[in-house]
């Protein structure tokens, strides 16, 4: 029995179920001889836009979620499955459809759909859209990855994340969409879990938020669904999703600030926290363009994965939350003996082996580790003491040193680490111990600033000018909002830090703050 057969609905059931969400219902004949009814919505059902993700040489995922009334209980949908038609074309005008079908938006998944399109040509653009009843979504652009082993001149992609809704407008996403990247790597903190606040207390004292979260802190599945809906209703974010396929990973705020494993920051009983995790995991899957291989199971979700761009770039996406041990030093920036605990883990033994297998088994020019928290061994005390961020790799000396040591000993070259979380831009080199540097860096890291988190910012915080001077591995630091554009060619990997002069108004001006590069076969970054 097919999925459509299993979910086929009688006209009476659908009319009853839709109530206020639909005025009438239409029956569409299926090959099985049964009929699947579709609604006619009173309110536009594609309020949350469309997205594509996890591309492969022959396809990608296309995503949408039906939510005519995003903040209402039941988000304006019946507790019944709904048919959604989809189309993929080889031009933006959608005249030449190359793939199409009908899928189901089930209530169990918040009426989201994740269509895994296959059978397409490698390394080319496609466009897609959805139809439910008589309603049609906007058109999105996706792009397949190159054929395995293909020779490429370049790959150009964007890096973004940390998009606190209350802190500013998503102008950076509108500008990112105009870049027409091959893909977007979102490093996490797609939503923030806190209650709505009129005022925030930042570095420069209290400031009035430019917009406000709907509701209180989020705990239940319905809470998380509404929070995702509020973020996804932003037109600039929708434009960025519609512009290119995304590779998404989560960090902490998609669940709760600084969570790791079964632990939250408040010491909640793990049994209770796991109930929250389960709601957060499901909502994350419902709202991201992920494949069925990432379908949630209880509190877990398979989020570390890999993609190849011909012989040019090997993209390794990590999960630094699910398998991590508790932060040392009571999760306060300081120094304590637990930082050197031999039992500490960041990615866990299984994921670490998977990563090393990918780094040593590939034959690409550039080996990219796309992840969430800073890997640089940054001492945040410019004086004689040592202070580290315990929620970064610097708070986990043993697993950090072990991973970098393995990369060094295996002679893996051209390793680039892409990171977020810090709400600042950083560029620097990686050593097993930043205070006892080897002759050459093992890898280099580009930490990309937030879309909005932290507010307008400035060129550099006073304390970080001193921190940069005390950490010779750190070559660049900036405290503005924006995103990065990375371009990989056979000769170089260049990161361009794009920043806005303001995010608390919609007309923030975009500029390039700096470019830093790695040359093929030459360890250590240089200014481009």
């Amino acid at each position: 029995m097919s999925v459509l057969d299993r979910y086929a609905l009688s006209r009476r059931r659908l009319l009853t179920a839709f109530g206020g969400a639909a005025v009438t219902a239409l029956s569409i004949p299926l090959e099985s001889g049964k009929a699947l009814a579709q609604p006619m919505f009173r309110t536009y059902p594609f309020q949350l836009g469309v997205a594509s993700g996890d591309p492969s040489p022959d396809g990608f995922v296309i995503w949408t979620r039906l939510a005519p009334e995003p903040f209402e209980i039941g988000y304006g949908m019946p507790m019944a499955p709904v048919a959604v038609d989809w189309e993929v074309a080889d031009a933006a005008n959608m005249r030449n459809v190359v793939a199409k079908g009908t899928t189901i938006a089930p209530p169990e998944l918040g009426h989201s759909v994740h269509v895994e399109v296959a059978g397409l040509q490698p390394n080319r653009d496609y466009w897609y859209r959805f139809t439910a009843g008589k309603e049609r979504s906007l058109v999105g652009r996706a792009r397949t990855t190159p054929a395995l082993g293909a020779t490429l001149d370049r790959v150009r992609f964007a890096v973004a994340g940390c998009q606190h809704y209350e802190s500013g407008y998503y102008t950076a996403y509108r500008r990112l969409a105009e870049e027409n990247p091959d893909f977007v790597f979102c490093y996490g903190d797609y939503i923030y879990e806190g209650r709505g606040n009129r005022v925030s207390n930042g570095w420069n004292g209290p400031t009035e938020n430019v917009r406000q979260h709907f509701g209180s802190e989020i705990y239940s599945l319905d809470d998380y669904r509404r929070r995702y809906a509020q973020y996804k209703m932003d037109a600039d974010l929708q434009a960025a999703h519609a512009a290119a396929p995304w590779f998404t990973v989560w960090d902490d705020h998609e669940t709760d600030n600084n969570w790791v494993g079964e632990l939250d920051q408040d010491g909640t009983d793990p049994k209770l926290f796991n109930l929250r995790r389960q709601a957060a995991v499901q909502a994350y899957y419902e709202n991201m363009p992920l494949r069925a291989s990432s379908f949630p199971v209880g509190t877990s979700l398979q989020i570390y994965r890999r993609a190849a761009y011909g012989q040019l770039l090997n993209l390794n996406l990590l999960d630094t939350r699910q398998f991590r041990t508790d932060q040392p030093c009571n999760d306060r920036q300081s120094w304590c003996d637990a930082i050197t605990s031999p039992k500490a883990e960041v990615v866990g033994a299984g994921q670490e082996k998977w990563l090393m297998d990918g780094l040593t088994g590939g034959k690409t020019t550039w080996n990219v580790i796309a992840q969430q928290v800073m890997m640089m061994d940054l001492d945040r005390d410019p004086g004689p003491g040592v202070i580290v961020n315990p929620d970064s790799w610097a708070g986990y000396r043993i697993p950090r040193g072990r991973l970098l040591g393995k990369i060094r000993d295996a002679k893996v070259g051209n390793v680039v680490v892409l990171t977020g979380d810090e709400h600042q831009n950083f560029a620097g080199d990686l050593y097993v111990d930043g205070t006892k540097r080897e002759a050459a860096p093992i890898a280099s890291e580009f930490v990309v600033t937030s879309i909005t988190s932290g507010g307008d910012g400035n060129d550099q915080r006073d304390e970080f000018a001193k921190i940069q001077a005390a950490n010779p591995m750190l070559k660049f630091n900036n405290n503005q909002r924006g995103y990065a554009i990375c371009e990989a060619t056979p000769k170089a990997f260049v990161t361009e830090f794009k920043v806005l002069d303001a995010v608390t108004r919609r007309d923030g001006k975009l500029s390039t703050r700096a470019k830093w590069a790695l040359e093929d076969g030459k360890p250590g970054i240089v200014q481009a």
Side-chain angles (χ1 to χ4, degrees):
M1 181 180 291
S2 71
V3 172
L4 288 176
D5 287 338
R6 289 198 302 271
Y7 278 118
L9 304 173
S10 70
R11 179 182 175 85
R12 176 175 295 177
R13 178 187 172 196
L14 194 74
L15 282 168
T16 301
F18 268 78
V23 229
T24 186
L26 309 171
S27 289
I28 298 177
L30 301 176
E31 293 181 3
S32 63
K34 297 183 179 181
L36 189 67
Q38 289 192 343
M40 184 175 292
F41 297 93
R42 287 178 178 165
T43 307
Y44 187 59
F46 297 106
Q47 300 271 357
L48 311 186
V50 301
S52 66
D54 279 20
S56 65
D58 75 333
F60 35 73
V61 177
I62 56 175
W63 170 95
T64 194
R65 183 175 159 233
L66 304 178
E69 301 289 347
F71 294 152
E72 298 296 323
I73 295 174
Y75 47 91
M77 291 294 292
M79 290 303 100
V82 177
V84 179
D85 297 326
W86 57 271
E87 299 173 291
V88 175
D90 60 7
N93 59 20
M94 298 298 294
R95 289 177 182 170
N96 184 36
V97 174
V98 297
K100 64 181 181 179
T102 301
T103 189
I104 293 298
E108 294 89 342
L109 284 177
H111 290 94
S112 62
V113 299
H114 302 72
V115 179
E116 297 189 21
V117 183
L120 305 179
Q121 296 299 309
N123 201 33
R124 64 152 299 163
D125 291 342
Y126 289 93
W127 288 262
Y128 63 95
R129 66 186 177 192
F130 299 92
T131 304
K134 293 185 177 181
E135 303 283 357
R136 181 170 284 170
S137 74
L138 63 89
V139 174
R141 167 186 170 262
R143 183 175 179 83
T144 52
T145 62
L148 296 177
T151 301
L152 301 178
D153 293 331
R154 73 168 191 167
V155 174
R156 187 171 179 274
F157 63 96
V159 182
C162 288
Q163 52 198 50
H164 193 285
Y165 185 83
E166 296 186 333
S167 297
Y169 297 109
Y170 292 164
T171 310
Y173 271 133
R174 182 68 66 168
R175 302 286 85 83
L176 184 155
E178 295 165 357
E179 302 271 5
N180 203 42
D182 293 330
F183 66 88
V184 176
F185 164 53
C186 179
Y187 56 69
D189 289 347
Y190 190 96
I191 62 168
Y192 282 72
E193 78 284 11
R195 69 184 180 188
N197 288 296
R198 184 183 63 83
V199 173
S200 292
N201 294 317
W203 291 96
N204 297 316
T207 57
E208 187 164 356
N209 292 324
V210 296
R211 47 190 184 176
Q212 193 167 329
H213 279 148
F214 177 86
S216 299
E217 184 162 349
I218 54 178
Y219 289 89
S220 71
L221 179 57
D222 284 340
D223 291 341
Y224 281 99
R225 283 173 174 169
R226 278 188 285 270
R227 187 59 54 87
Y228 276 103
Q230 184 170 23
Y231 279 58
K232 283 182 167 291
M233 288 171 70
D234 185 280
D236 294 333
L237 178 55
Q238 288 191 17
H241 271 298
W246 285 38
F247 289 100
T248 64
V249 294
W250 60 23
D251 195 16
D252 53 337
H253 290 288
E254 289 87 350
T255 302
D256 184 43
N257 181 55
N258 283 11
W259 75 276
V260 292
E262 295 185 330
L263 305 173
D264 74 355
Q265 64 176 350
D266 301 316
T268 303
D269 185 324
K271 294 191 293 296
L272 292 176
F273 180 55
N274 280 343
L275 295 176
R276 186 179 188 180
R277 285 182 63 202
Q278 188 165 331
V281 164
Q282 178 170 340
Y284 184 80
Y285 180 81
E286 288 177 354
N287 287 282
M288 294 295 127
L290 293 167
R291 293 182 179 271
S293 55
S294 293
F295 196 90
V297 179
T299 61
S300 66
L301 184 146
Q302 180 64 44
I303 205 167
Y304 67 85
R305 57 207 192 279
R306 184 176 292 121
Y309 279 76
Q311 296 181 16
L312 188 57
L313 187 143
N314 176 23
L315 182 69
N316 301 274
L317 301 149
L318 298 191
D319 181 345
T320 59
R321 290 290 166 186
Q322 284 193 91
F323 311 102
R324 202 199 304 188
T325 53
D326 197 11
Q327 292 96 338
C329 313
N330 293 317
D331 202 8
R332 294 188 180 93
Q333 292 204 10
S334 58
W335 180 268
C336 62
D337 291 343
I339 288 172
T340 57
S341 169
K343 297 180 179 180
E345 294 286 354
V346 176
V347 296
Q351 186 179 181
E352 185 175 307
K353 181 181 184 303
W354 169 88
L355 174 59
M356 287 307 304
D357 288 345
L359 294 175
T360 58
K363 296 181 180 179
T364 54
T365 302
W366 299 102
N367 294 291
V368 175
I369 302 174
Q371 51 102 56
Q372 297 86 354
V373 292
M374 182 184 280
M375 198 173 284
M376 259 183 283
D377 192 18
L378 195 64
D379 177 5
R380 297 175 190 242
D381 181 0
V386 176
I387 293 177
V388 302
N389 175 4
D391 193 47
S392 74
W393 284 82
Y396 297 77
R397 285 296 174 95
I398 300 303
R400 179 188 180 278
R402 183 176 63 235
L403 176 60
L404 289 174
K406 287 179 178 179
I407 293 172
R408 176 197 59 202
D409 297 344
K411 295 182 171 55
V412 181
N414 291 351
V415 177
V416 180
V417 179
L418 299 177
T419 304
D421 183 61
E422 296 279 344
H423 307 168
Q424 296 185 66
N425 288 310
F426 296 86
D429 295 320
L430 298 179
Y431 303 85
V432 169
D433 187 334
T435 63
K436 300 175 182 177
R437 294 180 292 159
E438 293 88 347
I442 298 167
S444 294
E445 182 174 23
F446 300 109
V447 181
V448 178
T449 192
S450 58
I451 291 290
T452 57
S453 302
D456 289 336
N458 56 7
D459 189 66
Q460 190 178 46
R461 295 182 196 167
D462 290 342
E463 71 272 22
F464 269 92
K466 299 174 183 177
I467 290 170
Q468 182 176 343
N471 288 267
M473 86 288 278
L474 177 60
K475 308 298 183 183
F476 170 72
N477 168 246
N478 164 263
N479 182 40
Q480 290 171 286
R481 311 288 80 81
Y483 58 93
I485 293 292
C486 297
E487 182 172 286
T489 69
K491 292 183 178 180
F493 187 104
V494 179
T495 296
E496 183 177 359
F497 292 100
K498 303 265 196 168
V499 299
L500 289 164
D501 63 348
V503 294
T504 54
R505 62 177 198 270
R506 291 190 180 275
D507 62 348
K509 183 180 178 181
L510 186 75
S511 63
T512 295
R513 176 60 183 82
K515 285 186 180 181
W516 287 84
L518 271 170
E519 298 177 24
D520 177 35
K522 296 181 180 179
I525 60 170
V526 294
Q527 197 155 14

